[in-house]
Amino acid sequence: AQTVTQSQPEMSVQEAETVTLSCTYDTSESDYYLFWYKQPPSRQMILVIRQEAYKQQNATENRFSVNFQKAAKSFSLKISDSQLGDAAMYFCARRFQGGSEKLVFGKGTKLTVNP
Amino acid sequence: DTAVSQTPKYLVTQMGNDKSIKCEQNLGHDTMYWYKQDSKKFLKIMFSYNNKELIINETVPNRFSPKSPDKAHLNLHINSLELGDSAVYFCASSQEMQGIQETQYFGPGTRLLVL
């Protein structure tokens, strides 16, 4: 099965604290791309961060970073210094390659940021 | 500047009607996609077009017919609308670089409600 699993339907964090959202996936490929997208109440899908599987270094974008464990097929998102504007649904996605460039999404994690 | 735009943003219609959703991207990308997000927020690929050619058709009912007049536009026509078609439909686009599709950028979504 080619699935992406987000085991946390909901998470909450205090403002200024750190939170980690988990994601695992299934694949038989050695090279692929992983993404985290954010969907605020406005419904817009916003790219947060992406990771190429061939890179050993974890991707970082300002307060957002990933912990990519290729052998474990794990791709968690860490949000540091959480802000009220981080409240949203977060979707982990994996891109298949080689003629079928679709994104397969997890079911999402709803993040609440408490003031 | 709007990168990926969709019209309309909201669409309320009766069962059995035919409706269209339009998508345009001004990013110069050569691949466009339609995704469906159901009431449980699950996102799933429907179609993908590369340079106006259909690449992906994910077992979508043939009441759904995508049309790509040029590589900047991908429209979605739905015949004989059913209650189960109620969802948010997202258009996305990406650019192929060295045989690999780069990051997908999403439109704002079209919320379709079938009564």
Side-chain angles (χ1 to χ4, degrees):
Chain A
Q2 296 172 331
T3 57
V4 176
T5 302
Q6 292 179 248
S7 59
Q8 306 150 317
E10 295 189 29
M11 291 282 285
S12 63
V13 64
Q14 289 297 125
E15 199 174 359
E17 298 292 310
T18 295
V19 65
T20 299
L21 309 183
S22 65
C23 173
T24 58
Y25 56 92
D26 190 16
T27 181
S28 56
E29 297 178 338
S30 60
D31 194 17
Y32 46 89
Y33 287 65
L34 297 162
F35 303 84
W36 278 98
Y37 281 88
K38 168 185 176 181
Q39 187 179 39
S42 67
R43 215 173 55 220
Q44 180 77 45
M45 290 290 288
I46 303 165
L47 177 68
V48 175
I49 200 165
R50 85 173 205 177
Q51 174 82 43
E52 292 90 338
Y54 64 87
K55 290 187 178 177
Q56 293 187 339
Q57 188 172 7
N58 289 325
T60 299
E61 287 287 344
N62 301 316
R63 297 182 296 106
F64 298 86
S65 61
V66 299
N67 183 3
F68 174 49
Q69 302 288 331
K70 190 172 184 179
K73 298 179 183 174
S74 169
F75 180 60
S76 59
L77 175 70
K78 185 170 87 170
I79 306 174
S80 304
D81 187 24
S82 297
Q83 301 175 0
L84 295 177
D86 295 334
M89 285 288 290
Y90 285 81
F91 293 95
C92 177
R94 176 186 173 310
R95 189 179 69 207
F96 289 77
Q97 299 182 187
S100 178
E101 303 286 353
K102 63 183 180 182
L103 286 176
V104 174
F105 287 87
K107 293 190 176 183
T109 296
K110 182 179 179 181
L111 178 66
T112 301
V113 181
N114 300 311
Chain B
D1 287 343
T2 302
V4 183
S5 60
Q6 295 178 227
T7 54
K9 284 194 168 54
Y10 299 93
L11 187 51
V12 181
T13 189
Q14 299 289 328
M15 236 177 10
N17 284 350
D18 304 338
K19 289 294 178 185
S20 292
I21 307 171
K22 295 185 177 182
C23 178
E24 176 181 1
Q25 54 94 6
N26 62 6
L27 297 167
H29 290 169
D30 57 12
T31 304
M32 297 183 72
Y33 311 80
W34 278 110
Y35 288 85
K36 178 180 179 181
Q37 186 175 40
D38 63 23
S39 58
K40 295 183 179 178
K41 302 285 189 183
F42 186 56
L43 268 156
K44 189 173 180 186
I45 183 78
M46 297 175 70
F47 300 103
S48 154
Y49 269 73
N50 178 272
N51 281 316
K52 304 193 298 176
E53 299 287 333
L54 179 65
I55 303 298
I56 297 171
N57 180 340
E58 286 282 312
T59 60
V60 178
N62 58 15
R63 296 183 296 104
F64 290 78
S65 52
K67 284 189 172 51
S68 182
D70 56 62
K71 72 175 192 177
H73 296 83
L74 180 62
N75 304 323
L76 183 65
H77 188 76
I78 315 170
N79 288 327
S80 303
L81 277 156
E82 299 177 356
L83 295 177
D85 297 333
S86 296
V88 181
Y89 292 84
F90 285 96
C91 178
S93 72
S94 65
Q95 177 62 39
E96 181 179 340
M97 299 285 285
Q98 298 179 326
I100 295 172
Q101 290 294 339
E102 293 292 305
T103 300
Q104 293 182 22
Y105 292 92
F106 284 76
T110 296
R111 182 180 292 276
L112 171 65
L113 178 60
V114 182
L115 302 175

